[in-house]
Amino acid sequence: MHSFPAGPAPSYYALRIRPALTSFVDEVCATLARLCAYLMALALIAISGIALWDHLPDVTALDTSPKDGWSLAARPVPAFAVSQFIFPGKTEIYEIFRHPEGGRKDVFRWRGSGGTPVAELEIYRPGGEIDQAGPAVGRELEAAGIIDSKFGTVSLFRQAGGTEAARSCLGFSRRVDESGLQLAGWSCLGEDLPTRRIAIACMLNRLVLLAAGNDTKLAQTFVHAEARRSDCTASGAPALSADWLTGADNPRLRGAM
């Protein structure tokens, strides 16, 4: 009888190694696939981060809120008003700024033809932030005497520098101790210093209170101020006097402050 050749029977170990190798290869492929997906996700995040970084300056430019905590009120309810008869043909802008610690600033801005700023008035009611309103007097500013108003005497400032000072705008500052109210601003109205002084006094005399809320001291301040109010021409009389303190020009012996 012829014998048929028989192949060697697969060993026990070969039957176990092949599935193990196949499973190992499958696991490696799956791991590589997951790793590729992870790297692609990281790349996508990096691309998105770079795109956001490129747009960061534009977002910063849109942030117009003051860096010192003051924020512009979205729907301001006016608490003050100034007669428009002293600003004929001027555009008025009224803004209210609030501080998280309770302070409030009501700001009037007037612009002439072409949008040129001509005057500004800030009414500051301090809160816990204890801000100080009014222009600081340093080497670039010098005292320009005082004027009278319904709120009392008001300190004036101007740009230091000889003949240039005579043509400069005037800044002003006044603190009402009874209520803590602080008035500050500047004005370029008028052809010379005497008329600009009168314009500032008139601005303050025409400032009226519309709503005091629960601030009784503020209401009393305006009640007492109205009793002292005079017409704009009379309020500017001290600016035209020859007195060394309230004269229209700053005395040379005092110099810059």
Side-chain angles (χ1 to χ4, degrees), residues 24-37:
F24 175 75
V25 171
D26 293 340
E27 185 67 26
V28 169
C29 292
T31 302
L32 291 176
R34 288 193 293 268
L35 182 60
C36 290

Side-chain angles (χ1 to χ4, degrees), residues 1-227:
M1 294 180 64
H2 295 283
S3 61
F4 298 93
S11 66
Y12 171 77
Y13 295 102
L15 293 176
R16 297 195 58 183
I17 289 175
R18 286 180 180 176
L21 290 176
T22 302
S23 176
F24 175 75
V25 171
D26 293 340
E27 185 67 26
V28 169
C29 292
T31 302
L32 291 176
R34 288 193 293 268
L35 182 60
C36 290
Y38 178 72
L39 293 177
M40 291 178 64
L42 288 180
L44 182 61
I45 293 174
I47 293 173
S48 301
I50 294 174
L52 290 176
W53 181 264
D54 291 338
H55 287 82
L56 184 60
D58 297 335
V59 176
T60 305
L62 293 176
D63 184 10
T64 57
S65 60
K67 301 303 179 183
D68 55 0
W70 292 93
S71 59
L72 179 65
R75 296 181 179 179
V77 178
F80 306 92
V82 178
S83 173
Q84 287 299 304
F85 290 106
I86 64 173
F87 296 104
K90 304 298 187 295
T91 302
E92 179 185 288
I93 300 174
Y94 187 98
E95 294 178 321
I96 297 176
F97 296 89
R98 298 183 181 274
H99 196 278
E101 297 188 25
R104 169 170 169 157
K105 293 181 179 180
D106 293 65
V107 181
F108 290 88
R109 294 186 177 93
W110 291 274
R111 300 181 182 274
S113 59
T116 304
V118 296
E120 181 175 315
L121 170 62
E122 177 185 289
I123 304 104
Y124 171 44
R125 286 179 278 175
E129 73 285 349
I130 315 179
D131 195 3
Q132 296 295 326
V137 183
R139 293 183 179 180
E140 297 182 357
L141 294 176
E142 64 181 9
I146 60 175
I147 57 173
D148 190 25
S149 74
K150 69 179 184 181
F151 299 101
T153 56
V154 179
S155 301
L156 299 179
F157 308 92
R158 68 181 180 187
Q159 181 180 358
T163 57
E164 290 296 328
R167 297 190 295 269
S168 65
C169 302
L170 286 178
F172 60 91
S173 177
R174 167 66 179 167
R175 176 184 175 87
V176 183
D177 294 331
E178 293 80 6
S179 60
L181 185 72
Q182 298 183 32
L183 306 171
W186 55 270
S187 175
C188 298
L189 297 171
E191 299 298 329
D192 51 24
L193 287 180
T195 55
R196 287 173 183 170
R197 292 162 64 93
I198 294 175
I200 292 176
C202 188
M203 178 197 304
L204 296 176
N205 283 343
R206 297 298 182 181
L207 175 64
V208 296
L209 178 65
L210 299 179
N214 297 324
D215 195 338
T216 57
K217 291 184 177 180
L218 178 64
Q220 293 175 358
T221 294
F222 273 82
V223 169
H224 296 157
E226 285 300 312

